[in-house]
Amino acid sequence: MQTADASQVVTSDDLDDQLVDTYRRVGLRPGLLERLCGIRERRWWADGVTFVDGAAMAGAKAISESGVDPAGIGVMINTSVSRKYLEPSTAVAVHDALGLPRSAQNFDVTNACLGFMNGMELAGAMIDSGLVDHALIVNGEDARAVQERTIDRLNRPETVARDVLSQFATLTLGCGAVAMVLGRTDQHPEGHRMVGSVSRAGTEHHELCVGDNDMMRTDLKGLLDAGIALGVDMWTEAGEEFDWHGGMSRYVMHQVSKVHTAAMCEKFGIDESQVPKTFPTRGNLGPASVPFTLATESDALDDGDRVLLMGVGSGLNTACLEIEW
């Protein structure tokens, strides 16, 4: 598993400075991104670098690290929310950039911020069924364009406080990429084993967060409350089969904000010191968030450690996936 970091650091102060007149006019205080969310900065891709480039860079690094012959990659799954076109898939551009063989099936799997974890589950099932021996999962996200458009829109004279708050989550996003190679356990005893996963759907909440390449509108409190409630239901039911409550070495949560992290830890009874955090310096990387955070923590993990990936995606869907390190 490897990451590709966007190079341009954009601080929350930078974004606040661009919106300071709007904040004053609508009666809001600057500094909410850092004070409330705990996000000091996020990254943007440099000019001329795309999220496809980022996904391909991470993919190439992951293949190299794995030692797997690229000719042996049977499927490449792209899980990016970011996309330039409705058709063709983003996967074809990443496949081409990586120079993968014609025999490597490729397609997109999108499920908001839960996409990468869904890609892991799907790839694991394909490997277990014998369809492929190795799978590559990639993700590249680009928040720059939608953030620039949001700032321009919020600086219009007709903007009111409600507009700022409904589009506030857009400013928490960041750019980045990550990739992971999966293979058969019996062929890769040095690898990290996927143990099992549980998911739950709360699709009655599918209008709480809606976005496209121009705008994202979010009911912040509604999404947090519904996501926590759905997660608690899943957590309680999973307890009958998995001892996740206290037996894990790390809990790698989807990175949204310090409010979201604290609420998750409180509701699930998790020691926050066991939760690695990337949101202060990377923001919300969407579906790249969980694997990116896992990659940054990998050097601190020991053989035999139990790691629980905890994802949530607007829509609303949530999942937990255990890895034995």
mmCIF file of all heavy atoms in Angstrom, residues 256-301:
data_model
loop_
_atom_site.group_PDB
_atom_site.id
_atom_site.type_symbol
_atom_site.label_atom_id
_atom_site.label_comp_id
_atom_site.label_asym_id
_atom_site.label_seq_id
_atom_site.Cartn_x
_atom_site.Cartn_y
_atom_site.Cartn_z
ATOM 1 N N VAL A 256 -12.848 13.030 9.007
ATOM 2 C CA VAL A 256 -13.741 14.143 8.693
ATOM 3 C C VAL A 256 -13.339 15.388 9.472
ATOM 4 O O VAL A 256 -13.066 16.443 8.910
ATOM 5 C CB VAL A 256 -15.212 13.772 9.003
ATOM 6 C CG1 VAL A 256 -16.134 14.954 8.717
ATOM 7 C CG2 VAL A 256 -15.639 12.564 8.179
ATOM 8 N N SER A 257 -13.324 15.271 10.800
ATOM 9 C CA SER A 257 -12.998 16.405 11.659
ATOM 10 C C SER A 257 -12.782 15.897 13.070
ATOM 11 O O SER A 257 -13.070 14.733 13.389
ATOM 12 C CB SER A 257 -14.137 17.427 11.658
ATOM 13 O OG SER A 257 -15.284 16.888 12.320
ATOM 14 N N LYS A 258 -12.336 16.789 13.952
ATOM 15 C CA LYS A 258 -12.162 16.372 15.339
ATOM 16 C C LYS A 258 -13.501 16.140 16.022
ATOM 17 O O LYS A 258 -13.602 15.306 16.930
ATOM 18 C CB LYS A 258 -11.324 17.397 16.102
ATOM 19 C CG LYS A 258 -11.957 18.763 16.305
ATOM 20 C CD LYS A 258 -11.016 19.668 17.088
ATOM 21 C CE LYS A 258 -11.621 21.030 17.375
ATOM 22 N NZ LYS A 258 -10.671 21.912 18.107
ATOM 23 N N VAL A 259 -14.545 16.831 15.581
ATOM 24 C CA VAL A 259 -15.877 16.618 16.143
ATOM 25 C C VAL A 259 -16.365 15.210 15.806
ATOM 26 O O VAL A 259 -16.851 14.474 16.671
ATOM 27 C CB VAL A 259 -16.869 17.669 15.609
ATOM 28 C CG1 VAL A 259 -18.298 17.339 16.048
ATOM 29 C CG2 VAL A 259 -16.482 19.061 16.090
ATOM 30 N N HIS A 260 -16.234 14.827 14.545
ATOM 31 C CA HIS A 260 -16.661 13.498 14.098
ATOM 32 C C HIS A 260 -15.871 12.416 14.812
ATOM 33 O O HIS A 260 -16.441 11.423 15.297
ATOM 34 C CB HIS A 260 -16.485 13.385 12.589
ATOM 35 C CG HIS A 260 -16.836 12.045 12.017
ATOM 36 N ND1 HIS A 260 -15.909 11.023 11.917
ATOM 37 C CD2 HIS A 260 -18.003 11.548 11.537
ATOM 38 C CE1 HIS A 260 -16.481 9.961 11.376
ATOM 39 N NE2 HIS A 260 -17.749 10.244 11.141
ATOM 40 N N THR A 261 -14.551 12.579 14.914
ATOM 41 C CA THR A 261 -13.699 11.576 15.552
ATOM 42 C C THR A 261 -14.049 11.413 17.018
ATOM 43 O O THR A 261 -14.170 10.290 17.530
ATOM 44 C CB THR A 261 -12.214 11.960 15.397
ATOM 45 O OG1 THR A 261 -11.903 12.072 14.007
ATOM 46 C CG2 THR A 261 -11.315 10.914 16.029
ATOM 47 N N ALA A 262 -14.209 12.528 17.715
ATOM 48 C CA ALA A 262 -14.541 12.470 19.137
ATOM 49 C C ALA A 262 -15.894 11.806 19.361
ATOM 50 O O ALA A 262 -16.064 11.005 20.298
ATOM 51 C CB ALA A 262 -14.532 13.873 19.734
ATOM 52 N N ALA A 263 -16.860 12.114 18.500
ATOM 53 C CA ALA A 263 -18.198 11.527 18.641
ATOM 54 C C ALA A 263 -18.159 10.022 18.413
ATOM 55 O O ALA A 263 -18.808 9.246 19.134
ATOM 56 C CB ALA A 263 -19.164 12.194 17.665
ATOM 57 N N MET A 264 -17.402 9.584 17.396
ATOM 58 C CA MET A 264 -17.276 8.157 17.114
ATOM 59 C C MET A 264 -16.639 7.435 18.305
ATOM 60 O O MET A 264 -17.117 6.372 18.729
ATOM 61 C CB MET A 264 -16.430 7.947 15.864
ATOM 62 C CG MET A 264 -17.069 8.417 14.577
ATOM 63 S SD MET A 264 -18.188 7.204 13.864
ATOM 64 C CE MET A 264 -17.014 6.021 13.198
ATOM 65 N N CYS A 265 -15.570 7.989 18.835
ATOM 66 C CA CYS A 265 -14.878 7.351 19.957
ATOM 67 C C CYS A 265 -15.787 7.258 21.179
ATOM 68 O O CYS A 265 -15.807 6.236 21.877
ATOM 69 C CB CYS A 265 -13.601 8.126 20.297
ATOM 70 S SG CYS A 265 -12.301 7.975 19.046
ATOM 71 N N GLU A 266 -16.537 8.330 21.443
ATOM 72 C CA GLU A 266 -17.427 8.328 22.600
ATOM 73 C C GLU A 266 -18.530 7.277 22.453
ATOM 74 O O GLU A 266 -18.791 6.500 23.378
ATOM 75 C CB GLU A 266 -18.059 9.710 22.779
ATOM 76 C CG GLU A 266 -19.035 9.794 23.946
ATOM 77 C CD GLU A 266 -19.711 11.141 24.064
ATOM 78 O OE1 GLU A 266 -19.411 12.043 23.246
ATOM 79 O OE2 GLU A 266 -20.548 11.293 24.974
ATOM 80 N N LYS A 267 -19.170 7.237 21.297
ATOM 81 C CA LYS A 267 -20.293 6.320 21.092
ATOM 82 C C LYS A 267 -19.854 4.858 21.081
ATOM 83 O O LYS A 267 -20.578 3.970 21.525
ATOM 84 C CB LYS A 267 -21.003 6.649 19.782
ATOM 85 C CG LYS A 267 -21.788 7.948 19.810
ATOM 86 C CD LYS A 267 -22.966 7.883 20.769
ATOM 87 C CE LYS A 267 -23.806 9.137 20.706
ATOM 88 N NZ LYS A 267 -24.954 9.086 21.657
ATOM 89 N N PHE A 268 -18.650 4.588 20.547
ATOM 90 C CA PHE A 268 -18.191 3.209 20.414
ATOM 91 C C PHE A 268 -17.277 2.780 21.563
ATOM 92 O O PHE A 268 -16.813 1.643 21.591
ATOM 93 C CB PHE A 268 -17.456 3.008 19.088
ATOM 94 C CG PHE A 268 -18.297 3.224 17.864
ATOM 95 C CD1 PHE A 268 -17.715 3.425 16.633
ATOM 96 C CD2 PHE A 268 -19.682 3.226 17.938
ATOM 97 C CE1 PHE A 268 -18.489 3.621 15.488
ATOM 98 C CE2 PHE A 268 -20.463 3.420 16.819
ATOM 99 C CZ PHE A 268 -19.875 3.623 15.591
ATOM 100 N N GLY A 269 -16.995 3.683 22.488
ATOM 101 C CA GLY A 269 -16.138 3.347 23.610
ATOM 102 C C GLY A 269 -14.703 3.077 23.214
ATOM 103 O O GLY A 269 -14.039 2.195 23.773
ATOM 104 N N ILE A 270 -14.191 3.842 22.252
ATOM 105 C CA ILE A 270 -12.836 3.659 21.730
ATOM 106 C C ILE A 270 -11.889 4.677 22.362
ATOM 107 O O ILE A 270 -12.220 5.860 22.475
ATOM 108 C CB ILE A 270 -12.829 3.808 20.197
ATOM 109 C CG1 ILE A 270 -13.620 2.661 19.558
ATOM 110 C CG2 ILE A 270 -11.406 3.845 19.644
ATOM 111 C CD1 ILE A 270 -13.829 2.829 18.067
ATOM 112 N N ASP A 271 -10.719 4.219 22.773
ATOM 113 C CA ASP A 271 -9.677 5.105 23.276
ATOM 114 C C ASP A 271 -9.135 5.912 22.098
ATOM 115 O O ASP A 271 -8.574 5.348 21.153
ATOM 116 C CB ASP A 271 -8.566 4.267 23.907
ATOM 117 C CG ASP A 271 -7.439 5.113 24.491
ATOM 118 O OD1 ASP A 271 -7.424 6.344 24.288
ATOM 119 O OD2 ASP A 271 -6.548 4.514 25.130
ATOM 120 N N GLU A 272 -9.284 7.232 22.145
ATOM 121 C CA GLU A 272 -8.893 8.065 21.012
ATOM 122 C C GLU A 272 -7.398 7.991 20.714
ATOM 123 O O GLU A 272 -6.966 8.290 19.600
ATOM 124 C CB GLU A 272 -9.324 9.515 21.238
ATOM 125 C CG GLU A 272 -9.322 10.340 19.973
ATOM 126 C CD GLU A 272 -10.044 11.679 20.106
ATOM 127 O OE1 GLU A 272 -10.913 11.820 20.996
ATOM 128 O OE2 GLU A 272 -9.732 12.595 19.305
ATOM 129 N N SER A 273 -6.593 7.581 21.696
ATOM 130 C CA SER A 273 -5.156 7.441 21.444
ATOM 131 C C SER A 273 -4.859 6.296 20.474
ATOM 132 O O SER A 273 -3.760 6.219 19.916
ATOM 133 C CB SER A 273 -4.406 7.202 22.756
ATOM 134 O OG SER A 273 -4.746 5.938 23.310
ATOM 135 N N GLN A 274 -5.838 5.410 20.248
ATOM 136 C CA GLN A 274 -5.673 4.307 19.298
ATOM 137 C C GLN A 274 -6.186 4.667 17.905
ATOM 138 O O GLN A 274 -6.251 3.805 17.027
ATOM 139 C CB GLN A 274 -6.416 3.071 19.799
ATOM 140 C CG GLN A 274 -5.840 2.458 21.061
ATOM 141 C CD GLN A 274 -6.643 1.258 21.508
ATOM 142 O OE1 GLN A 274 -7.788 1.361 21.913
ATOM 143 N NE2 GLN A 274 -6.030 0.088 21.393
ATOM 144 N N VAL A 275 -6.542 5.941 17.713
ATOM 145 C CA VAL A 275 -7.095 6.401 16.441
ATOM 146 C C VAL A 275 -6.099 7.346 15.767
ATOM 147 O O VAL A 275 -5.982 8.518 16.152
ATOM 148 C CB VAL A 275 -8.447 7.122 16.656
ATOM 149 C CG1 VAL A 275 -9.025 7.578 15.313
ATOM 150 C CG2 VAL A 275 -9.432 6.216 17.388
ATOM 151 N N PRO A 276 -5.334 6.864 14.780
ATOM 152 C CA PRO A 276 -4.411 7.768 14.066
ATOM 153 C C PRO A 276 -5.197 8.806 13.284
ATOM 154 O O PRO A 276 -6.286 8.539 12.785
ATOM 155 C CB PRO A 276 -3.635 6.828 13.142
ATOM 156 C CG PRO A 276 -4.507 5.618 12.993
ATOM 157 C CD PRO A 276 -5.283 5.487 14.266
ATOM 158 N N LYS A 277 -4.631 10.008 13.178
ATOM 159 C CA LYS A 277 -5.350 11.120 12.562
ATOM 160 C C LYS A 277 -4.522 11.760 11.449
ATOM 161 O O LYS A 277 -3.348 12.060 11.634
ATOM 162 C CB LYS A 277 -5.698 12.177 13.615
ATOM 163 C CG LYS A 277 -6.540 11.629 14.765
ATOM 164 C CD LYS A 277 -6.761 12.691 15.840
ATOM 165 C CE LYS A 277 -7.572 12.127 17.008
ATOM 166 N NZ LYS A 277 -6.813 11.119 17.764
ATOM 167 N N THR A 278 -5.164 11.947 10.309
ATOM 168 C CA THR A 278 -4.546 12.693 9.211
ATOM 169 C C THR A 278 -5.323 13.956 8.860
ATOM 170 O O THR A 278 -4.820 14.782 8.102
ATOM 171 C CB THR A 278 -4.428 11.806 7.951
ATOM 172 O OG1 THR A 278 -5.719 11.255 7.638
ATOM 173 C CG2 THR A 278 -3.432 10.685 8.164
ATOM 174 N N PHE A 279 -6.547 14.112 9.399
ATOM 175 C CA PHE A 279 -7.355 15.267 9.000
ATOM 176 C C PHE A 279 -6.727 16.610 9.353
ATOM 177 O O PHE A 279 -6.947 17.593 8.631
ATOM 178 C CB PHE A 279 -8.783 15.172 9.581
ATOM 179 C CG PHE A 279 -8.888 15.281 11.074
ATOM 180 C CD1 PHE A 279 -8.833 16.510 11.719
ATOM 181 C CD2 PHE A 279 -9.072 14.146 11.849
ATOM 182 C CE1 PHE A 279 -8.939 16.610 13.096
ATOM 183 C CE2 PHE A 279 -9.188 14.232 13.224
ATOM 184 C CZ PHE A 279 -9.112 15.471 13.862
ATOM 185 N N PRO A 280 -5.893 16.740 10.423
ATOM 186 C CA PRO A 280 -5.339 18.073 10.702
ATOM 187 C C PRO A 280 -4.481 18.632 9.570
ATOM 188 O O PRO A 280 -4.448 19.843 9.360
ATOM 189 C CB PRO A 280 -4.511 17.847 11.970
ATOM 190 C CG PRO A 280 -5.163 16.683 12.646
ATOM 191 C CD PRO A 280 -5.556 15.784 11.505
ATOM 192 N N THR A 281 -3.787 17.760 8.830
ATOM 193 C CA THR A 281 -2.891 18.227 7.774
ATOM 194 C C THR A 281 -3.308 17.817 6.367
ATOM 195 O O THR A 281 -2.719 18.283 5.398
ATOM 196 C CB THR A 281 -1.460 17.716 8.005
ATOM 197 O OG1 THR A 281 -1.471 16.279 8.037
ATOM 198 C CG2 THR A 281 -0.903 18.249 9.323
ATOM 199 N N ARG A 282 -4.304 16.947 6.229
ATOM 200 C CA ARG A 282 -4.743 16.500 4.908
ATOM 201 C C ARG A 282 -6.227 16.764 4.664
ATOM 202 O O ARG A 282 -6.684 16.643 3.543
ATOM 203 C CB ARG A 282 -4.475 14.995 4.721
ATOM 204 C CG ARG A 282 -2.993 14.605 4.756
ATOM 205 C CD ARG A 282 -2.182 15.322 3.681
ATOM 206 N NE ARG A 282 -0.809 14.857 3.611
ATOM 207 C CZ ARG A 282 0.170 15.260 4.407
ATOM 208 N NH1 ARG A 282 -0.084 16.134 5.372
ATOM 209 N NH2 ARG A 282 1.402 14.813 4.255
ATOM 210 N N GLY A 283 -6.974 17.114 5.706
ATOM 211 C CA GLY A 283 -8.403 17.302 5.542
ATOM 212 C C GLY A 283 -9.091 15.985 5.262
ATOM 213 O O GLY A 283 -8.584 14.899 5.568
ATOM 214 N N ASN A 284 -10.264 16.069 4.684
ATOM 215 C CA ASN A 284 -11.060 14.888 4.322
ATOM 216 C C ASN A 284 -10.701 14.480 2.902
ATOM 217 O O ASN A 284 -11.047 15.169 1.944
ATOM 218 C CB ASN A 284 -12.549 15.235 4.444
ATOM 219 C CG ASN A 284 -13.453 14.082 4.069
ATOM 220 O OD1 ASN A 284 -13.008 13.049 3.577
ATOM 221 N ND2 ASN A 284 -14.746 14.263 4.279
ATOM 222 N N LEU A 285 -10.039 13.352 2.767
ATOM 223 C CA LEU A 285 -9.592 12.865 1.457
ATOM 224 C C LEU A 285 -10.626 11.974 0.780
ATOM 225 O O LEU A 285 -10.301 11.267 -0.177
ATOM 226 C CB LEU A 285 -8.275 12.101 1.600
ATOM 227 C CG LEU A 285 -7.048 12.920 1.984
ATOM 228 C CD1 LEU A 285 -5.866 12.006 2.262
ATOM 229 C CD2 LEU A 285 -6.702 13.933 0.903
ATOM 230 N N GLY A 286 -11.859 12.007 1.265
ATOM 231 C CA GLY A 286 -12.895 11.183 0.655
ATOM 232 C C GLY A 286 -12.580 9.708 0.821
ATOM 233 O O GLY A 286 -12.095 9.267 1.867
ATOM 234 N N PRO A 287 -12.813 8.894 -0.207
ATOM 235 C CA PRO A 287 -12.551 7.454 -0.086
ATOM 236 C C PRO A 287 -11.079 7.106 0.085
ATOM 237 O O PRO A 287 -10.752 5.984 0.488
ATOM 238 C CB PRO A 287 -13.116 6.878 -1.387
ATOM 239 C CG PRO A 287 -13.241 8.029 -2.318
ATOM 240 C CD PRO A 287 -13.470 9.235 -1.474
ATOM 241 N N ALA A 288 -10.184 8.050 -0.204
ATOM 242 C CA ALA A 288 -8.757 7.809 0.041
ATOM 243 C C ALA A 288 -8.409 7.935 1.519
ATOM 244 O O ALA A 288 -7.326 7.520 1.948
ATOM 245 C CB ALA A 288 -7.907 8.786 -0.768
ATOM 246 N N SER A 289 -9.316 8.496 2.303
ATOM 247 C CA SER A 289 -9.022 8.849 3.688
ATOM 248 C C SER A 289 -8.592 7.656 4.533
ATOM 249 O O SER A 289 -7.537 7.698 5.194
ATOM 250 C CB SER A 289 -10.259 9.515 4.311
ATOM 251 O OG SER A 289 -10.127 9.645 5.694
ATOM 252 N N VAL A 290 -9.388 6.594 4.557
ATOM 253 C CA VAL A 290 -9.077 5.443 5.409
ATOM 254 C C VAL A 290 -7.768 4.774 4.991
ATOM 255 O O VAL A 290 -6.872 4.578 5.818
ATOM 256 C CB VAL A 290 -10.254 4.446 5.436
ATOM 257 C CG1 VAL A 290 -9.834 3.128 6.073
ATOM 258 C CG2 VAL A 290 -11.433 5.037 6.201
ATOM 259 N N PRO A 291 -7.583 4.383 3.711
ATOM 260 C CA PRO A 291 -6.323 3.732 3.341
ATOM 261 C C PRO A 291 -5.122 4.656 3.450
ATOM 262 O O PRO A 291 -4.016 4.201 3.777
ATOM 263 C CB PRO A 291 -6.560 3.283 1.899
ATOM 264 C CG PRO A 291 -7.644 4.179 1.385
ATOM 265 C CD PRO A 291 -8.529 4.427 2.568
ATOM 266 N N PHE A 292 -5.300 5.967 3.171
ATOM 267 C CA PHE A 292 -4.197 6.920 3.311
ATOM 268 C C PHE A 292 -3.740 6.967 4.767
ATOM 269 O O PHE A 292 -2.540 6.947 5.068
ATOM 270 C CB PHE A 292 -4.645 8.298 2.836
ATOM 271 C CG PHE A 292 -3.535 9.304 2.693
ATOM 272 C CD1 PHE A 292 -2.987 9.585 1.449
ATOM 273 C CD2 PHE A 292 -3.044 9.991 3.794
ATOM 274 C CE1 PHE A 292 -1.960 10.517 1.307
ATOM 275 C CE2 PHE A 292 -2.024 10.930 3.670
ATOM 276 C CZ PHE A 292 -1.485 11.192 2.418
ATOM 277 N N THR A 293 -4.699 7.029 5.686
ATOM 278 C CA THR A 293 -4.363 7.061 7.108
ATOM 279 C C THR A 293 -3.697 5.767 7.537
ATOM 280 O O THR A 293 -2.723 5.773 8.307
ATOM 281 C CB THR A 293 -5.623 7.323 7.946
ATOM 282 O OG1 THR A 293 -6.249 8.533 7.502
ATOM 283 C CG2 THR A 293 -5.286 7.455 9.424
ATOM 284 N N LEU A 294 -4.194 4.635 7.040
ATOM 285 C CA LEU A 294 -3.571 3.349 7.343
ATOM 286 C C LEU A 294 -2.130 3.315 6.850
ATOM 287 O O LEU A 294 -1.233 2.829 7.556
ATOM 288 C CB LEU A 294 -4.374 2.217 6.702
ATOM 289 C CG LEU A 294 -3.808 0.805 6.863
ATOM 290 C CD1 LEU A 294 -3.720 0.406 8.328
ATOM 291 C CD2 LEU A 294 -4.661 -0.199 6.083
ATOM 292 N N ALA A 295 -1.887 3.837 5.660
ATOM 293 C CA ALA A 295 -0.530 3.839 5.106
ATOM 294 C C ALA A 295 0.420 4.662 5.966
ATOM 295 O O ALA A 295 1.577 4.279 6.175
ATOM 296 C CB ALA A 295 -0.551 4.378 3.678
ATOM 297 N N THR A 296 -0.059 5.796 6.485
ATOM 298 C CA THR A 296 0.812 6.633 7.321
ATOM 299 C C THR A 296 1.103 5.982 8.663
ATOM 300 O O THR A 296 2.090 6.328 9.315
ATOM 301 C CB THR A 296 0.185 8.019 7.562
ATOM 302 O OG1 THR A 296 -1.035 7.873 8.315
ATOM 303 C CG2 THR A 296 -0.120 8.723 6.251
ATOM 304 N N GLU A 297 0.268 5.055 9.078
ATOM 305 C CA GLU A 297 0.426 4.387 10.374
ATOM 306 C C GLU A 297 1.157 3.056 10.259
ATOM 307 O O GLU A 297 1.546 2.456 11.278
ATOM 308 C CB GLU A 297 -0.959 4.161 10.997
ATOM 309 C CG GLU A 297 -0.980 3.636 12.414
ATOM 310 C CD GLU A 297 -0.506 4.630 13.463
ATOM 311 O OE1 GLU A 297 -0.269 5.804 13.105
ATOM 312 O OE2 GLU A 297 -0.375 4.242 14.636
ATOM 313 N N SER A 298 1.390 2.584 9.044
ATOM 314 C CA SER A 298 1.861 1.212 8.834
ATOM 315 C C SER A 298 3.193 0.915 9.508
ATOM 316 O O SER A 298 3.398 -0.197 10.021
ATOM 317 C CB SER A 298 1.943 0.908 7.331
ATOM 318 O OG SER A 298 2.848 1.796 6.695
ATOM 319 N N ASP A 299 4.088 1.879 9.536
ATOM 320 C CA ASP A 299 5.400 1.636 10.145
ATOM 321 C C ASP A 299 5.312 1.456 11.655
ATOM 322 O O ASP A 299 6.241 0.906 12.275
ATOM 323 C CB ASP A 299 6.356 2.782 9.822
ATOM 324 C CG ASP A 299 6.806 2.778 8.369
ATOM 325 O OD1 ASP A 299 6.648 1.742 7.704
ATOM 326 O OD2 ASP A 299 7.308 3.827 7.902
ATOM 327 N N ALA A 300 4.230 1.914 12.254
ATOM 328 C CA ALA A 300 4.070 1.800 13.708
ATOM 329 C C ALA A 300 3.342 0.524 14.109
ATOM 330 O O ALA A 300 3.171 0.264 15.308
ATOM 331 C CB ALA A 300 3.311 3.011 14.248
ATOM 332 N N LEU A 301 2.911 -0.277 13.131
ATOM 333 C CA LEU A 301 2.182 -1.507 13.412
ATOM 334 C C LEU A 301 3.135 -2.705 13.445
ATOM 335 O O LEU A 301 4.132 -2.745 12.720
ATOM 336 C CB LEU A 301 1.104 -1.737 12.356
ATOM 337 C CG LEU A 301 -0.030 -0.708 12.335
ATOM 338 C CD1 LEU A 301 -0.902 -0.899 11.107
ATOM 339 C CD2 LEU A 301 -0.867 -0.803 13.610
#
